[in-house]
Amino acid sequence: MSELIPPLRTIYGEEATSQAQRYAEALSAFASTYGAGEVLIFRAPGRVNLIGEHTDYNHGYVLPVALDRDTLLLARPRSDATVRLSNMEAEFSPRAFTIGPDIPPDPPGDWGNYARGAAQALARQLRRADRRPPLRGLDGLVVGGPPHGVPRGAGLSSSSVLTVVVALALAHVNGWQPDGVTLARFCSEAEWYVGTRGGIMDQFIALLARRGHALFLDCRPDTAGRYRMEHVPLPQGYHLLIADSGVRHGNVRGHYNRRVAACRAGVALLRARFPAITHLRDVQEVPWAELEPFLPEEVTVGELAERGIELEDVPGLTPDTRLRVRARCRHVWTENRRVQAAVAALRAGQVATLGRLLNEAHASARDDYEISCPELEVLVQAAQEADGVAGARLTGAGWGGCIVALVRDDAVPAFEAHVARRYQAETGRTPAIFACRSGPGAGLVIAVTLSEED
Ligand code: GLA
């Protein structure tokens, strides 16, 4: 499998040899499921968000970094519209469906829905572009799982990358070649199929990442649908360390949608003073003291309806659902400022300032957005008190998952030992701690022809 090494080196650097082993095993599993012939290998990386949490769906700012942990899809085009997917991880049994504009979903939470969402969006996209069927499906093998895959449910975007990698493959086999931004937008809309009203951050970083850089993304498109973004180099002399609490909350989707609803309620209420606004981003330059009087501490969905405010399109709300509108909006408003300050600090090499902003972002996520949990608090406190740490915060949607810490190179071993010890002592759990080796964005890695002997 020596042909694998050169393309893998451009993606994984020094890890290319161990990755080649992983790719070879995946190819052999593909051959035993689907037989000899051509195979295209696509990959999409997970991400860690440095700062800018729950700002994307408010058209705000984010600053994610792609991981070297990724999901692979080995794919062989079919001549019909069937998609057959198997998974290297045995707990995910095979799925099959036909591509079309209205694909019936698998049960909620099923892994197949991430692929179905991508396929349905593609069929609709091609229909809009007046490209008539026949659509082409594929036979595919998904490769996630440890140690190289994106840890699942950990706030590192494992589900979004599944949509991205399937969309990439289906677009490829159907001859649709959008640019990265178009594909990223497409993938984020495709993911609405699974019932989360998410933003665009995960798909943008998965597709547009650059090694050694964070992506500063302004999630507000201009009138031509373009996005302002900048690849900002990561600080020299520091590691981004990720510590996974191992906590997986069962209802992240429900909590997430309620946060989206609270922000939308904020926008609707602020329209009394700023009639033209569509997102919280539109009041970013207005002093907070001028916004606050319009934002109640708490209001129910039913009370909003009485005032003529309907939160359409957000699943799972009932008239009794309580929304803490003021605190949620305050988080978004302050977080956008922190992201801008963090980018300025990165550009200027001011690591201490960046670290302070991470700590402040964590406090806001905990107190105003209420997306932390006891285990994440233990991890963040342990990280923040360790030597050589500029700052630390929870990362991703919240309610479990991971923290990220900015740690001086020479302090990494002591950091790992301290955080693991304290977390173990206080929760009885062992955290998985690993360094983020930032990698490049998603794409086609290589096309291979498997012979009968492979
Ligand atoms: C999830 C969503 C993102 C973003 C984050 C929170 O990862 O997929 O769009 O909203 O949560 O910052």
Side-chain angles (χ1 to χ4, degrees), residues 47 49 52-57 62 155 157 160 191 198-203 256 396-397:
R47 60 102 189 94
N49 191 19
E53 222 62 84
H54 291 269
T55 46
D56 58 354
Y57 50 82
V62 292
S157 173
S160 297
E191 212 178 303
I200 61 170
M201 165 170 71
D202 303 349
Q203 298 80 7
Y256 187 97

Side-chain angles (χ1 to χ4, degrees), residues 102-117:
D102 294 291
I103 304 176
D106 281 324
D110 191 278
W111 76 279
N113 284 332
Y114 292 93
R116 285 171 187 254

Side-chain angles (χ1 to χ4, degrees), residues 16 58 70 145 223 229 237 251 345 357 386 390 441:
N58 292 298
D70 53 17
T223 47
M229 62 183 95
N251 186 27
L357 291 160

Side-chain angles (χ1 to χ4, degrees), residues 287-430:
W288 176 253
E290 281 182 38
L291 304 177
E292 212 176 59
F294 295 91
L295 302 169
E297 289 285 357
E298 198 169 273
V299 65
T300 66
V301 170
E303 285 159 1
L304 288 168
E306 282 164 22
R307 296 169 66 171
I309 296 173
E310 301 287 346
L311 300 172
E312 288 145 7
D313 202 28
V314 183
L317 300 180
T318 68
D320 295 334
T321 305
R322 307 185 78 75
L323 303 173
R324 285 195 60 203
V325 174
R326 182 177 295 177
R328 307 304 185 234
C329 294
R330 186 167 52 217
H331 166 77
V332 174
W333 190 90
T334 56
E335 184 80 346
N336 278 327
R337 297 192 163 214
R338 283 186 290 269
V339 181
Q340 288 178 294
V343 172
L346 259 183
R347 288 197 200 105
Q350 292 163 346
V351 179
T353 304
L354 176 60
R356 181 180 46 77
L357 291 160
L358 298 188
N359 294 344
E360 288 171 12
H362 179 75
S364 176
R366 177 192 60 217
D367 301 335
D368 275 351
Y369 228 61
E370 291 182 272
I371 57 174
S372 190
C373 66
E375 293 85 353
L376 287 176
E377 287 309 305
V378 174
L379 279 179
V380 164
Q381 278 166 26
Q384 289 177 348
E385 75 195 10
D387 284 340
V389 173
R393 57 177 289 273
L394 68 79
T395 184
W399 302 285
C402 296
I403 68 152
V404 60
L406 191 56
V407 186
R408 219 179 45 229
D409 288 348
D410 63 308
V412 169
F415 171 92
E416 291 180 346
H418 174 73
V419 172
R421 198 179 324 112
R422 221 188 120 182
Y423 192 59
Q424 171 77 44
E426 292 193 30
T427 68
R429 292 169 175 269
T430 309

